[in-house]
Amino acid sequence: MADIVSGKEVAEALKQKLVDEVDELKSNGIIPGLAIVLVGDRPDSLSYIKGAQKRCSEIGIDCRLVQLPADTSEEEFVSRIRQLNQDRSVHGILVMRPLPATISEDRVKYEISPLKDVDCFNPVNMAKVMSGEEGGFAPCTPSAVMEILDYYGIELTGKRVVIVGRSMVVGRPLSMMMLKRHATVTICHTRTVDLAKETSRAEILVAAAGKARMIKKDMVGSGAVVIDVGINFDENGKMCGDVDFEAVKELAGKITPVPGGVGSVTSTVLAKHVIRACRMLIDQEG
Ligand code: NAD
């Protein structure tokens, strides 16, 4: 029977460290600030924002919501981002995606200052993730996966890692982050020919496909570490991951639940990035 990996425990431990860091910054008169930009009112975005605001307030980060109407033009959006880039009380900017069709992500993603780009929207930061260069911001979700592995002392060097999903928000950056840590990484996707053959070889299996309970017991090797990034709702409206948790936990070595796994760590990683952005600004100004 697998050990259940608690994302909440990881998040709490990280939170404590961040609270101490913010206390130190505040004693020097600095309050880290995050601006979350939301165009429209998508319920999933609002729910994520609520969680992030709660987390930031617990840690002592000033988190403000910049909510723009759904019909905001690309020009207006860019002008708002430029204002936030200039705003000295804002250290991190998070743009909620997807943006409405009237705003081209491909055009506006270059506008956000890379120094404030705490969730890796700007390709400058993505390039750093891909090349393994230090000093940028990786996306919060793959960073949360790394936090979990590190907290539980799960070594990556030489390990066979299989990631199901190749999106730019999860699978692809995560594969590069793990490669940097010397794992042997296989990325699977919808055109992978024999998915079960690939996944069952994994010592560390990451599911990030967005398909409810698609990873079945016969697709997982005995003793594998199984990290479930998926957030789905089953036919009864119950939240579940990409992994068939009840069955897979019988043979995995470690497994993250949904909810209570990766998702619980993401907003704390966001806070961590805001604090780092704040420190980077202080260092830059000397
Ligand atoms: P996406 O739809 O952009 O990408 C899914 C990827 O999975 C694609 O590359 C696709 O090729 C692959 N895929 C889909 N079905 C597959 C199948 N049957 N076999 C093999 N590969 C398959 O999704 P995303 O934005 O990367 O998100 C993935 C999941 O992670 C979603 O459930 C999402 O809700 C969740 N998510 C969680 C967090 C968090 O904080 N925990 C954050 C972001 C996304």
Side-chain angles (χ1 to χ4, degrees):
M1 190 65 90
D3 295 334
I4 312 297
V5 168
S6 165
K8 285 189 182 134
E9 190 180 319
V10 179
E12 279 310 301
L14 179 57
K15 182 183 124 181
Q16 275 321 310
K17 280 196 222 159
L18 300 180
V19 167
D20 294 346
E21 281 194 53
V22 171
D23 284 349
E24 192 205 318
L25 287 166
K26 282 189 173 164
S27 67
N28 291 310
I30 299 154
I31 301 170
L34 169 68
I36 303 183
V37 182
L38 172 65
V39 185
D41 57 359
R42 280 177 67 106
D44 54 347
S45 293
L46 285 166
S47 145
Y48 177 82
I49 290 167
K50 210 170 137 199
Q53 284 176 320
K54 181 168 176 282
R55 206 49 167 173
C56 285
S57 103
E58 287 164 0
I59 292 169
I61 293 171
D62 172 34
C63 176
R64 79 182 72 149
L65 173 61
V66 178
Q67 190 167 7
L68 305 172
D71 61 356
T72 299
S73 69
E74 200 169 286
E75 207 182 358
E76 286 165 334
F77 175 83
V78 167
S79 142
R80 200 69 186 91
I81 294 292
R82 287 182 182 166
Q83 278 171 21
L84 293 169
N85 284 342
Q86 296 300 323
D87 188 332
R88 293 176 54 81
S89 67
V90 171
H91 303 97
I93 303 170
L94 171 68
V95 173
M96 295 306 298
R97 289 175 275 171
L99 288 164
T102 47
I103 301 174
S104 158
E105 273 189 31
D106 280 345
R107 276 201 294 271
V108 301
K109 65 190 177 186
Y110 292 94
E111 290 292 340
I112 182 167
S113 162
L115 298 172
K116 297 191 176 188
D117 179 27
V118 285
D119 195 28
C120 196
F121 188 24
N122 191 316
V124 168
N125 277 319
M126 188 55 83
K128 288 185 179 175
V129 175
M130 293 297 156
S131 67
E133 188 182 326
E134 300 286 341
F137 291 102
C140 293
T141 302
S143 303
V145 173
M146 300 302 278
E147 286 286 345
I148 291 173
L149 295 173
D150 288 344
Y151 179 86
Y152 284 96
I154 297 163
E155 178 60 50
L156 280 158
T157 302
K159 289 284 170 63
R160 282 189 309 278
V161 172
V162 176
I163 299 173
V164 185
R166 58 175 166 181
S167 77
M168 288 303 282
V169 267
V170 193
R172 226 175 269 224
L174 181 62
S175 67
M176 290 299 129
M177 290 160 84
M178 290 187 158
L179 187 62
K180 188 175 182 200
R181 299 276 294 274
H182 313 297
T184 302
V185 185
T186 303
I187 309 171
C188 299
H189 45 80
T190 42
R191 312 259 179 111
T192 296
V193 173
D194 189 344
L195 185 63
K197 186 175 164 201
E198 301 295 342
T199 55
S200 52
R201 286 188 313 111
E203 292 169 281
I204 300 172
L205 174 61
V206 182
K211 295 279 174 303
R213 301 192 184 105
M214 68 168 279
I215 304 291
K216 306 289 181 201
K217 192 176 173 183
D218 61 3
M219 297 169 75
V220 179
S222 174
V225 174
V226 180
I227 308 286
D228 193 351
V229 181
I231 300 176
N232 313 293
F233 292 90
D234 69 12
E235 55 287 356
N236 302 315
K238 188 172 173 239
M239 189 192 276
C240 67
D242 287 356
V243 177
D244 185 1
F245 181 81
E246 288 306 322
V248 172
K249 76 173 190 218
E250 285 171 25
L251 92 167
K254 288 187 168 50
I255 187 166
T256 62
V258 178
V262 177
S264 319
V265 185
T266 313
S267 59
T268 313
V269 167
L270 173 66
K272 179 180 173 177
H273 287 183
V274 175
I275 295 166
R276 193 155 69 80
C278 183
R279 286 191 182 284
M280 278 160 60
L281 185 75
I282 296 166
D283 289 349
Q284 209 187 34
E285 292 183 341

PDB file of all heavy atoms in Angstrom, residues 128-150:
ATOM      1  N   LYS A 128      14.454  30.173 -20.171  1.00  0.00           N
ATOM      2  CA  LYS A 128      15.379  29.838 -19.077  1.00  0.00           C
ATOM      3  C   LYS A 128      15.065  28.458 -18.516  1.00  0.00           C
ATOM      4  O   LYS A 128      15.972  27.694 -18.185  1.00  0.00           O
ATOM      5  CB  LYS A 128      15.312  30.897 -17.969  1.00  0.00           C
ATOM      6  CG  LYS A 128      15.967  32.185 -18.400  1.00  0.00           C
ATOM      7  CD  LYS A 128      16.024  33.198 -17.281  1.00  0.00           C
ATOM      8  CE  LYS A 128      16.713  34.461 -17.806  1.00  0.00           C
ATOM      9  NZ  LYS A 128      16.720  35.545 -16.837  1.00  0.00           N
ATOM     10  N   VAL A 129      13.776  28.134 -18.422  1.00  0.00           N
ATOM     11  CA  VAL A 129      13.402  26.796 -17.948  1.00  0.00           C
ATOM     12  C   VAL A 129      13.928  25.750 -18.932  1.00  0.00           C
ATOM     13  O   VAL A 129      14.494  24.732 -18.550  1.00  0.00           O
ATOM     14  CB  VAL A 129      11.867  26.661 -17.794  1.00  0.00           C
ATOM     15  CG1 VAL A 129      11.481  25.237 -17.423  1.00  0.00           C
ATOM     16  CG2 VAL A 129      11.333  27.643 -16.762  1.00  0.00           C
ATOM     17  N   MET A 130      13.745  26.037 -20.224  1.00  0.00           N
ATOM     18  CA  MET A 130      14.131  25.063 -21.252  1.00  0.00           C
ATOM     19  C   MET A 130      15.654  24.878 -21.307  1.00  0.00           C
ATOM     20  O   MET A 130      16.138  23.774 -21.520  1.00  0.00           O
ATOM     21  CB  MET A 130      13.611  25.512 -22.634  1.00  0.00           C
ATOM     22  CG  MET A 130      12.107  25.496 -22.749  1.00  0.00           C
ATOM     23  SD  MET A 130      11.437  23.825 -22.566  1.00  0.00           S
ATOM     24  CE  MET A 130       9.767  24.160 -22.037  1.00  0.00           C
ATOM     25  N   SER A 131      16.395  25.971 -21.110  1.00  0.00           N
ATOM     26  CA  SER A 131      17.859  25.858 -21.219  1.00  0.00           C
ATOM     27  C   SER A 131      18.499  25.487 -19.883  1.00  0.00           C
ATOM     28  O   SER A 131      19.691  25.187 -19.840  1.00  0.00           O
ATOM     29  CB  SER A 131      18.450  27.171 -21.715  1.00  0.00           C
ATOM     30  OG  SER A 131      18.264  28.167 -20.727  1.00  0.00           O
ATOM     31  N   GLY A 132      17.710  25.555 -18.817  1.00  0.00           N
ATOM     32  CA  GLY A 132      18.269  25.218 -17.502  1.00  0.00           C
ATOM     33  C   GLY A 132      18.993  26.384 -16.860  1.00  0.00           C
ATOM     34  O   GLY A 132      19.676  26.222 -15.845  1.00  0.00           O
ATOM     35  N   GLU A 133      18.814  27.590 -17.428  1.00  0.00           N
ATOM     36  CA  GLU A 133      19.478  28.767 -16.861  1.00  0.00           C
ATOM     37  C   GLU A 133      18.808  29.173 -15.556  1.00  0.00           C
ATOM     38  O   GLU A 133      17.583  29.142 -15.446  1.00  0.00           O
ATOM     39  CB  GLU A 133      19.375  29.908 -17.893  1.00  0.00           C
ATOM     40  CG  GLU A 133      20.183  31.129 -17.536  1.00  0.00           C
ATOM     41  CD  GLU A 133      20.000  32.238 -18.578  1.00  0.00           C
ATOM     42  OE1 GLU A 133      19.840  31.943 -19.788  1.00  0.00           O
ATOM     43  OE2 GLU A 133      20.019  33.416 -18.168  1.00  0.00           O
ATOM     44  N   GLU A 134      19.618  29.559 -14.581  1.00  0.00           N
ATOM     45  CA  GLU A 134      19.072  29.989 -13.280  1.00  0.00           C
ATOM     46  C   GLU A 134      18.513  31.407 -13.399  1.00  0.00           C
ATOM     47  O   GLU A 134      18.807  32.133 -14.326  1.00  0.00           O
ATOM     48  CB  GLU A 134      20.189  30.011 -12.221  1.00  0.00           C
ATOM     49  CG  GLU A 134      20.865  28.682 -11.965  1.00  0.00           C
ATOM     50  CD  GLU A 134      19.993  27.724 -11.168  1.00  0.00           C
ATOM     51  OE1 GLU A 134      19.047  28.184 -10.519  1.00  0.00           O
ATOM     52  OE2 GLU A 134      20.264  26.506 -11.212  1.00  0.00           O
ATOM     53  N   GLY A 135      17.736  31.794 -12.396  1.00  0.00           N
ATOM     54  CA  GLY A 135      17.376  33.204 -12.265  1.00  0.00           C
ATOM     55  C   GLY A 135      16.032  33.603 -12.848  1.00  0.00           C
ATOM     56  O   GLY A 135      15.602  34.734 -12.682  1.00  0.00           O
ATOM     57  N   GLY A 136      15.361  32.678 -13.542  1.00  0.00           N
ATOM     58  CA  GLY A 136      14.044  33.016 -14.073  1.00  0.00           C
ATOM     59  C   GLY A 136      12.954  32.454 -13.175  1.00  0.00           C
ATOM     60  O   GLY A 136      13.222  32.006 -12.049  1.00  0.00           O
ATOM     61  N   PHE A 137      11.730  32.508 -13.658  1.00  0.00           N
ATOM     62  CA  PHE A 137      10.611  31.921 -12.924  1.00  0.00           C
ATOM     63  C   PHE A 137      10.028  30.772 -13.727  1.00  0.00           C
ATOM     64  O   PHE A 137       9.613  30.964 -14.871  1.00  0.00           O
ATOM     65  CB  PHE A 137       9.515  32.962 -12.664  1.00  0.00           C
ATOM     66  CG  PHE A 137       9.933  34.013 -11.695  1.00  0.00           C
ATOM     67  CD1 PHE A 137      10.311  35.269 -12.133  1.00  0.00           C
ATOM     68  CD2 PHE A 137       9.980  33.738 -10.332  1.00  0.00           C
ATOM     69  CE1 PHE A 137      10.716  36.243 -11.233  1.00  0.00           C
ATOM     70  CE2 PHE A 137      10.385  34.696  -9.422  1.00  0.00           C
ATOM     71  CZ  PHE A 137      10.752  35.952  -9.876  1.00  0.00           C
ATOM     72  N   ALA A 138       9.989  29.589 -13.130  1.00  0.00           N
ATOM     73  CA  ALA A 138       9.323  28.446 -13.764  1.00  0.00           C
ATOM     74  C   ALA A 138       7.832  28.543 -13.444  1.00  0.00           C
ATOM     75  O   ALA A 138       7.446  29.183 -12.459  1.00  0.00           O
ATOM     76  CB  ALA A 138       9.905  27.151 -13.213  1.00  0.00           C
ATOM     77  N   PRO A 139       6.974  27.907 -14.236  1.00  0.00           N
ATOM     78  CA  PRO A 139       5.544  27.941 -13.908  1.00  0.00           C
ATOM     79  C   PRO A 139       5.284  27.294 -12.537  1.00  0.00           C
ATOM     80  O   PRO A 139       5.997  26.379 -12.129  1.00  0.00           O
ATOM     81  CB  PRO A 139       4.890  27.127 -15.029  1.00  0.00           C
ATOM     82  CG  PRO A 139       5.931  26.903 -16.057  1.00  0.00           C
ATOM     83  CD  PRO A 139       7.259  27.130 -15.454  1.00  0.00           C
ATOM     84  N   CYS A 140       4.260  27.809 -11.851  1.00  0.00           N
ATOM     85  CA  CYS A 140       4.024  27.390 -10.453  1.00  0.00           C
ATOM     86  C   CYS A 140       3.665  25.903 -10.330  1.00  0.00           C
ATOM     87  O   CYS A 140       4.091  25.251  -9.366  1.00  0.00           O
ATOM     88  CB  CYS A 140       2.926  28.244  -9.832  1.00  0.00           C
ATOM     89  SG  CYS A 140       3.442  29.957  -9.630  1.00  0.00           S
ATOM     90  N   THR A 141       2.900  25.359 -11.266  1.00  0.00           N
ATOM     91  CA  THR A 141       2.473  23.958 -11.088  1.00  0.00           C
ATOM     92  C   THR A 141       3.643  22.971 -11.173  1.00  0.00           C
ATOM     93  O   THR A 141       3.825  22.168 -10.251  1.00  0.00           O
ATOM     94  CB  THR A 141       1.342  23.606 -12.073  1.00  0.00           C
ATOM     95  OG1 THR A 141       0.271  24.520 -11.839  1.00  0.00           O
ATOM     96  CG2 THR A 141       0.843  22.197 -11.861  1.00  0.00           C
ATOM     97  N   PRO A 142       4.465  23.004 -12.242  1.00  0.00           N
ATOM     98  CA  PRO A 142       5.626  22.100 -12.210  1.00  0.00           C
ATOM     99  C   PRO A 142       6.552  22.382 -11.036  1.00  0.00           C
ATOM    100  O   PRO A 142       7.144  21.447 -10.477  1.00  0.00           O
ATOM    101  CB  PRO A 142       6.323  22.341 -13.549  1.00  0.00           C
ATOM    102  CG  PRO A 142       5.607  23.424 -14.232  1.00  0.00           C
ATOM    103  CD  PRO A 142       4.330  23.698 -13.539  1.00  0.00           C
ATOM    104  N   SER A 143       6.651  23.651 -10.636  1.00  0.00           N
ATOM    105  CA  SER A 143       7.491  23.958  -9.461  1.00  0.00           C
ATOM    106  C   SER A 143       6.922  23.293  -8.212  1.00  0.00           C
ATOM    107  O   SER A 143       7.668  22.843  -7.340  1.00  0.00           O
ATOM    108  CB  SER A 143       7.584  25.462  -9.222  1.00  0.00           C
ATOM    109  OG  SER A 143       8.085  26.112 -10.361  1.00  0.00           O
ATOM    110  N   ALA A 144       5.586  23.224  -8.133  1.00  0.00           N
ATOM    111  CA  ALA A 144       4.949  22.566  -6.977  1.00  0.00           C
ATOM    112  C   ALA A 144       5.289  21.071  -6.964  1.00  0.00           C
ATOM    113  O   ALA A 144       5.521  20.486  -5.897  1.00  0.00           O
ATOM    114  CB  ALA A 144       3.429  22.782  -7.024  1.00  0.00           C
ATOM    115  N   VAL A 145       5.345  20.466  -8.138  1.00  0.00           N
ATOM    116  CA  VAL A 145       5.727  19.040  -8.220  1.00  0.00           C
ATOM    117  C   VAL A 145       7.148  18.865  -7.674  1.00  0.00           C
ATOM    118  O   VAL A 145       7.426  17.961  -6.876  1.00  0.00           O
ATOM    119  CB  VAL A 145       5.632  18.525  -9.678  1.00  0.00           C
ATOM    120  CG1 VAL A 145       6.191  17.115  -9.800  1.00  0.00           C
ATOM    121  CG2 VAL A 145       4.186  18.582 -10.173  1.00  0.00           C
ATOM    122  N   MET A 146       8.041  19.775  -8.067  1.00  0.00           N
ATOM    123  CA  MET A 146       9.431  19.680  -7.602  1.00  0.00           C
ATOM    124  C   MET A 146       9.512  19.884  -6.088  1.00  0.00           C
ATOM    125  O   MET A 146      10.291  19.220  -5.411  1.00  0.00           O
ATOM    126  CB  MET A 146      10.308  20.718  -8.325  1.00  0.00           C
ATOM    127  CG  MET A 146      10.349  20.559  -9.830  1.00  0.00           C
ATOM    128  SD  MET A 146      10.928  18.953 -10.401  1.00  0.00           S
ATOM    129  CE  MET A 146      12.679  19.143 -10.304  1.00  0.00           C
ATOM    130  N   GLU A 147       8.699  20.810  -5.566  1.00  0.00           N
ATOM    131  CA  GLU A 147       8.681  21.043  -4.105  1.00  0.00           C
ATOM    132  C   GLU A 147       8.297  19.757  -3.373  1.00  0.00           C
ATOM    133  O   GLU A 147       8.870  19.414  -2.343  1.00  0.00           O
ATOM    134  CB  GLU A 147       7.648  22.121  -3.722  1.00  0.00           C
ATOM    135  CG  GLU A 147       8.035  23.534  -4.055  1.00  0.00           C
ATOM    136  CD  GLU A 147       9.106  24.145  -3.149  1.00  0.00           C
ATOM    137  OE1 GLU A 147       9.375  23.589  -2.064  1.00  0.00           O
ATOM    138  OE2 GLU A 147       9.674  25.168  -3.561  1.00  0.00           O
ATOM    139  N   ILE A 148       7.297  19.065  -3.906  1.00  0.00           N
ATOM    140  CA  ILE A 148       6.822  17.832  -3.262  1.00  0.00           C
ATOM    141  C   ILE A 148       7.926  16.779  -3.274  1.00  0.00           C
ATOM    142  O   ILE A 148       8.225  16.161  -2.250  1.00  0.00           O
ATOM    143  CB  ILE A 148       5.546  17.311  -3.973  1.00  0.00           C
ATOM    144  CG1 ILE A 148       4.378  18.271  -3.709  1.00  0.00           C
ATOM    145  CG2 ILE A 148       5.204  15.888  -3.521  1.00  0.00           C
ATOM    146  CD1 ILE A 148       3.113  17.950  -4.481  1.00  0.00           C
ATOM    147  N   LEU A 149       8.557  16.598  -4.435  1.00  0.00           N
ATOM    148  CA  LEU A 149       9.616  15.580  -4.544  1.00  0.00           C
ATOM    149  C   LEU A 149      10.761  15.908  -3.588  1.00  0.00           C
ATOM    150  O   LEU A 149      11.282  15.033  -2.889  1.00  0.00           O
ATOM    151  CB  LEU A 149      10.121  15.481  -5.982  1.00  0.00           C
ATOM    152  CG  LEU A 149       9.097  14.988  -7.012  1.00  0.00           C
ATOM    153  CD1 LEU A 149       9.651  15.093  -8.428  1.00  0.00           C
ATOM    154  CD2 LEU A 149       8.682  13.540  -6.737  1.00  0.00           C
ATOM    155  N   ASP A 150      11.115  17.184  -3.525  1.00  0.00           N
ATOM    156  CA  ASP A 150      12.231  17.585  -2.659  1.00  0.00           C
ATOM    157  C   ASP A 150      11.864  17.425  -1.186  1.00  0.00           C
ATOM    158  O   ASP A 150      12.678  16.957  -0.388  1.00  0.00           O
ATOM    159  CB  ASP A 150      12.639  19.036  -2.945  1.00  0.00           C
ATOM    160  CG  ASP A 150      13.354  19.147  -4.289  1.00  0.00           C
ATOM    161  OD1 ASP A 150      13.790  18.103  -4.823  1.00  0.00           O
ATOM    162  OD2 ASP A 150      13.470  20.270  -4.812  1.00  0.00           O
TER     163      ASP A 150
END
